Amino acid sequence: MRAFALGLALGVAVAGPASADDLEALGFRPLVAEAQREIEIDLRAVSRPGNALPDGQPALGRGAIAEVWLTEPTERYGHAVLGDGIEAGGLLVRRADGDSLTLSLPEAQVFEDLTPRLVDLDGDGRDEILVVRSSQSSGAMLVAYGVVEGALRAVAKGPERLTAHRWLNPVGAADFDGDGVLEVAYVETPHIGGVLRIFSRQGDRLVQEAEAYGFSNHAIGSRALVLSAILDADGDGLPEILLPDARRRALRVVGFVDGALRERAVLALDAQIVGDFRLADLDGNGLEGVVIPLSGDRELRLYR
């Protein structure tokens, strides 16, 4: 995705002179400007299933799995953390060979999500499907599904530590510590004391490797779930995680080093972070920057 037509600069809005310097030490040049509407995106022609989640979007793969859709809309969970009471009760996988696979959840469960994620968690060359599954007995948990003997099955699960109507929002997956294995990150309870947690797959479990407190990558009732970005900001070969603080009034940059999450930089803002982050080469130098929507019809641009 590429943003262009940069618009009118309004100046950097920070609540502390040292914060911007910290970002600049990581290679970012922060600027707050009027929100830019024009973006360029890559689209693939797809056929929306008739029973797809009303505004859910597919995960698009390049391997054996071509598309994954959230399906079977239902109001049986009654949480409405994403703005309405409609969640998904099933999954549809379209394979590259033309076959389709489906899965339906039990009555007490839903997928409390909008878009599945395709990630090869175990490095075997086959993608797993990561999705947030919620239940009346254990709230939200992250579950990885795979194609096993021609059927969709849960192949790895995160911990069941929450209660009904407690939710988590994924950040993404990357090799955060440079050990050659992908980890997955999410923010647990982003509306009430959000905790950033890092997991790796160990057999049929997603096992926690690190945690840090004071984050929120979602506003309650919003359909925007991507209030985060992952990229190697300082060029050391290890990706950093960019996401808001608990009040969404500061941007925090976190790295996973020596088994612990460490804050690398923070940028306090005079506006609230409100929308999906997007990566873009903002000035044509070949380096991805980040565009972050703010309240007041502005956006924070992190040039590199």
Side-chain angles (χ1 to χ4, degrees):
M1 182 179 294
R2 181 187 297 269
F4 52 94
L6 294 180
L8 174 66
L10 299 181
V12 178
V14 299
S19 297
D21 292 338
D22 290 340
L23 278 180
E24 289 166 1
L26 285 179
F28 289 116
R29 292 170 286 135
L31 176 73
V32 173
E34 291 180 348
Q36 173 57 50
R37 299 292 187 268
E38 290 186 63
I39 58 173
E40 180 181 311
I41 59 176
D42 293 325
L43 295 176
R44 184 192 303 181
V46 296
S47 175
R48 189 176 188 85
N51 67 341
L53 193 67
D55 60 350
Q57 297 299 317
L60 301 179
R62 299 293 181 184
I65 295 177
E67 302 171 22
V68 186
W69 295 83
L70 292 167
T71 58
E72 301 178 26
T74 177
E75 297 184 54
R76 66 186 182 226
Y77 189 56
H79 188 198
V81 72
L82 302 180
D84 62 25
I86 303 173
E87 314 299 346
L91 280 176
L92 166 66
V93 169
R94 289 173 173 163
R95 295 168 57 95
D97 62 11
D99 289 342
S100 294
L101 303 171
T102 61
L103 176 143
S104 295
L105 290 175
E107 186 67 22
Q109 298 178 354
V110 296
F111 292 119
E112 200 171 11
D113 214 336
L114 293 177
T115 305
R117 302 146 196 89
L118 286 169
V119 181
D120 181 5
L121 287 175
D122 53 10
D124 67 353
R126 294 177 296 179
D127 286 333
E128 284 77 45
I129 303 160
L130 283 175
V131 67
V132 179
R133 193 180 78 188
S134 296
S135 74
Q136 298 291 352
S137 61
S138 57
M141 62 188 299
L142 192 64
V143 182
Y145 289 85
V147 178
V148 180
E149 297 178 352
L152 281 176
R153 297 181 184 173
V155 296
K157 302 176 184 179
E160 298 183 52
R161 66 167 117 241
L162 300 178
T163 58
H165 297 175
R166 292 291 181 261
W167 185 67
L168 62 87
N169 188 24
V171 171
D175 181 4
F176 291 113
D177 57 4
D179 65 354
V181 177
L182 284 182
E183 291 85 26
V184 61
Y186 65 65
V187 177
E188 183 179 277
T189 58
H191 316 120
I192 47 172
V195 185
L196 175 63
R197 301 189 187 277
I198 305 290
F199 292 83
S200 63
R201 181 179 178 182
Q202 297 182 23
D204 63 357
R205 296 188 303 149
L206 299 176
V207 177
Q208 182 171 304
E209 297 193 10
E211 65 180 27
Y213 290 76
F215 299 90
S216 176
N217 61 344
H218 181 256
I220 194 163
S222 171
R223 309 300 273 178
L225 302 187
V226 193
L227 274 67
S228 60
I230 299 171
L231 78 165
D232 181 5
D234 56 7
D236 67 351
L238 298 179
E240 280 74 42
I241 301 172
L242 288 73
L243 72 171
D245 73 345
R247 297 174 60 244
R248 292 181 289 110
R249 283 193 167 271
L251 178 70
R252 300 178 68 181
V253 183
V254 181
F256 186 30
V257 181
D258 297 328
L261 286 165
R262 305 183 188 280
E263 187 165 85
R264 302 291 308 281
V266 60
L267 179 68
L269 299 162
D270 69 350
Q272 200 162 39
I273 297 171
V274 296
D276 291 340
F277 292 23
R278 63 183 190 270
L279 299 177
D281 181 357
L282 296 174
D283 53 8
N285 66 355
L287 298 175
E288 281 191 319
V290 189
V291 181
I292 301 171
L294 303 176
S295 59
D297 204 30
R298 293 184 294 167
E299 61 189 21
L300 170 65
R301 300 180 193 142
L302 301 180
Y303 293 84
R304 296 175 67 213

